[in-house]
Amino acid sequence: MPPLAFVPRHLALLALAGLSLAAFDAAALSRRDQANIEALNQRMAAAETRYREAMVKIGNADPSGAAESNAALEDMEDVVAACSAQKGCQLSTMLAAYKRLLKLNADAEAEVVEDAPEGDDHASPLTANVPEAARAAQLLADDHRFDKMVQYNPAVQAGIRRWLTDMRGALITSYENYQYMRHLMWPQYERAGLPEALLFGIMAKESNGKAHSTSRAGAAGPMQFMYATGRRFGLGPDGTGFDTRYDPRSAAEASAAYLNERMAELNRSIELALAAYNGGEGRALRVYTAGGGRGFWESDVYNQFPPETKDYVPMVIAAAWLFLHPKQYGLDFPKVDAKPAPLRLVQASSIYQLTICLGNGGTREGFMRALRNLNPRYEAESWLPAGSTINATTKIVGLYNRYCTQGPRAELARTLVMSDPNSAIVYSVPVQPPVSTFVPGAGSAPVAVATDVSAAPAKPSEYRVQGGETLTSIARKFECDTKELAKVNGIKGPRFAIRPGQTLNLEGCRN
C-alpha cells in the first residue's frame, strides 16, 4: 500500500523533517486532556503488544496471525489520528511504536535470510509486515519527488478518470500483483534513485503485474521488454532455457537502467523517457533534439509521437499518481499479506495443484498469480519434485501446511490435476466374426477359432502433440518422466515448450 495510506500527509511530513509538535506544558493542560493523552498512550501500547503476539502466530504459520496483525495496525492508525486532534498529544511518542515494530520485523527478516537456502529470493526488510506509516518517514521524500518531476495536467486527469472507471479493476489487480513482487522490484528502482510510483505506473500499464505477459509484438515480462532492447540491458535466455525478461527482479533492474539512460539524454524528463520507453529511444531523442530541448507537452514535440505514445505517457503518470494519492480519489487499495517466505514441498506438486489446495485464503482470486510471479521459471503445470523449495509468502506457507500436505483437500487437488479428459471417452470395440481355420487332427472340417479382440494394442512409440497440450500433460498421459521425455526429444527446460503437430518420441514411457 502506498506509504501515506495510514497517516495524514502533513503528519508524515513532520516526521520526515524531524519536526515534532511543540511540547505542551503539562500544567497548562486540563485534567481531561491529560486523561485523554494517557488513554491514547495505553491504547498504543496495547496495540503494539497485540501486534507482537500476532507476529509470533505468523511465525508459527497460524492462520489467525494475519488477521490479528491487521487489526492491531488498524488500532494504531486510529490512535495516531486521535493524537493529531488531541491537544498536547506528542506524535513523536506515537511514531516511536512504529519504529520499534520496523526494527522488530527487520530483525525477523534477517533471521530468515540467514537460514534461507542460497539463491532463494524470499526475504527483504522492505516487505516487513509493519504499519506503512512507519515507512512513510523513510520513503516519503523519494516517493513524492515524482509529484515534482511530472506535469499534472488535463491529459493526466483524463488518464486518472479512465483508471477509476472502466480500468479500475485492472488498476487494483496491478496493485495486488505488485505487492507480491515489491521486495524484488522496488529495491532496483530505489538504488537507481527512481520513484517507486514510476515503477508501479509503468508495470500497471505494461502488464498489470503479470510476470508471464507477452505482447503480440514480442515484448515480454512485467516490464514488457522487446528482445533486442532486453539483451542490451542484460535480459534474455540465461543458458537454462529461461528468458530473464520474465524475472521481476531482473526486469525491474533493466527498466531502471533504461530509464536513467534515457533521462540522462532527455534533460531528466520523465515524460520524454516514458515516450522513449513506448515509442522508441531513437525517435524520442530526434524529437527532443529537433525541438530544442523542449518538453513532451509542447505541441511541436507532442505531435511527433504516435497516438499510442500520446496515450501511454499520461496513463503511466496517472497510475503513478493514484499510487501516491489513493484516498484523495476515494480509491481503497486492498491490504495484501505478501511477506515473502520459502515453501518446501513435502510431496511432488505443481503450481496448479497448489492453487487448488490453498483455496482463496481471504483473497479475491487465490494464489496462482502470486505463485507464478514469484516463481517465473516454472510453468503452472510443471511437476515439482518433493523437497523442492519455491518462493511464496508466510500466508501461503501456513495454508500449505494446513491443507496441502494431507487430508481431503490435498487429495482432491491431486485428483483434479491428474485427471485426463481423454479417459472420459468410451471407445466401442467392434465385434469380429470368428475366423475359420484348420486344426490339426480334426479332419477336413473347418473349426471356428475366436480371435482375442480385447488384446491390448502395441505400445505407441511416437505421439503427435494436440492443441492445448503441454509436455507435462503428455508425460502424465503416457506415464513417463517429464525431464526424461524432454531429454529424449531435445526439448530444453524449464519451460519445455512444444507446439501442436510436433511429433514426440515416447522412448522410456511405460504406457
Side-chain angles (χ1 to χ4, degrees), residues 62-378:
D62 185 335
S64 67
E68 286 290 329
S69 66
N70 287 336
L73 300 186
E74 290 172 0
D75 289 346
M76 292 182 186
E77 298 162 27
D78 292 341
V79 172
V80 169
C83 181
S84 66
Q86 173 59 52
K87 179 182 178 182
C89 184
Q90 299 295 305
L91 283 174
S92 58
T93 301
M94 300 302 175
L95 292 177
Y98 286 141
K99 293 179 181 178
R100 287 192 295 271
L101 294 186
L102 185 64
K103 183 178 186 306
L104 168 69
N105 284 272
D107 291 343
E109 290 287 351
E111 292 176 7
V112 172
V113 172
E114 188 176 71
D115 296 337
E118 185 177 355
D120 282 349
D121 301 324
H122 55 258
S124 167
L126 284 170
T127 57
N129 184 23
V130 297
E132 295 291 344
R135 283 200 293 272
Q138 295 180 330
L139 301 181
L140 183 62
D142 287 340
D143 280 343
H144 282 268
R145 281 191 302 110
F146 180 83
D147 291 358
K148 300 177 181 178
M149 296 171 73
V150 298
Q151 288 189 36
Y152 181 80
N153 59 27
V156 174
Q157 291 174 329
I160 291 174
R161 182 180 69 238
R162 289 172 60 192
W163 282 119
L164 292 179
T165 51
D166 58 312
M167 296 181 66
R168 182 184 289 260
L171 182 68
I172 291 176
T173 296
S174 299
Y175 178 84
E176 291 175 324
N177 290 338
Y178 173 63
Q179 291 307 298
Y180 288 107
M181 300 186 291
R182 183 176 187 263
H183 67 292
L184 302 172
M185 303 181 78
W186 160 226
Q188 317 312 318
Y189 265 58
E190 183 182 38
R191 279 193 287 270
L194 294 173
E196 181 179 19
L198 179 60
L199 164 62
F200 175 77
I202 294 174
M203 186 211 67
K205 185 67 173 73
E206 292 284 2
S207 69
N208 287 151
K210 297 177 181 178
H212 295 85
S213 177
T214 304
S215 74
R216 287 177 292 180
M223 306 304 284
Q224 291 288 282
F225 269 94
M226 295 296 288
Y227 183 82
T229 306
R231 290 304 296 265
R232 281 180 47 215
F233 289 87
L235 302 179
D238 65 356
T240 69
F242 177 65
D243 188 337
T244 56
R245 289 183 294 169
Y246 296 104
D247 179 66
R249 180 198 296 276
S250 300
E253 183 178 20
S255 174
Y258 180 91
L259 286 170
N260 268 335
E261 185 176 284
R262 302 284 71 73
M263 291 172 68
E265 64 186 15
L266 297 171
N267 195 31
R268 300 300 295 173
S269 167
I270 284 183
E271 287 92 343
L272 285 172
L274 290 175
Y277 201 105
N278 176 260
E281 58 201 67
R283 181 203 299 268
L285 183 57
R286 287 195 302 271
V287 171
Y288 172 76
T289 303
R294 283 177 291 177
F296 175 79
W297 300 110
E298 296 287 338
S299 62
D300 55 345
V301 173
Y302 177 84
N303 288 327
Q304 293 190 60
F305 288 103
E308 180 186 350
T309 302
K310 294 176 183 178
D311 174 76
Y312 179 86
V313 172
M315 285 298 289
V316 169
I317 295 173
W321 197 270
L322 287 170
F323 180 80
L324 291 173
H325 308 282
K327 298 300 181 184
Q328 180 180 339
Y329 298 91
L331 178 62
D332 288 322
F333 283 127
K335 294 181 180 179
V336 179
D337 189 355
K339 184 178 180 181
L343 172 59
R344 186 176 179 83
L345 302 178
V346 300
Q347 58 187 19
S349 188
S350 67
I351 290 178
Y352 274 153
Q353 184 171 327
L354 292 174
T355 300
I356 295 170
C357 67
L358 290 171
N360 276 32
T363 68
R364 294 187 306 159
E365 299 181 358
F367 299 98
M368 180 172 170
R369 175 50 51 194
L371 287 171
R372 294 215 67 197
N373 282 355
L374 291 172
N375 301 278
R377 290 179 176 271
Y378 302 122

Side-chain angles (χ1 to χ4, degrees), residues 47-65:
E48 181 179 354
T49 299
R50 186 179 180 186
Y51 181 84
R52 289 175 180 272
E53 292 172 349
M55 288 300 295
V56 173
K57 291 183 178 181
I58 290 175
N60 293 328
D62 185 335
S64 67

Side-chain angles (χ1 to χ4, degrees), residues 24-42 82-90 94:
F24 281 82
D25 183 356
L29 295 174
S30 68
R31 291 183 178 179
R32 181 175 180 179
D33 288 333
Q34 293 179 23
N36 289 343
I37 294 171
E38 179 60 27
L40 290 175
N41 287 331
Q42 292 177 0
C83 181
S84 66
Q86 173 59 52
K87 179 182 178 182
C89 184
Q90 299 295 305
M94 300 302 175

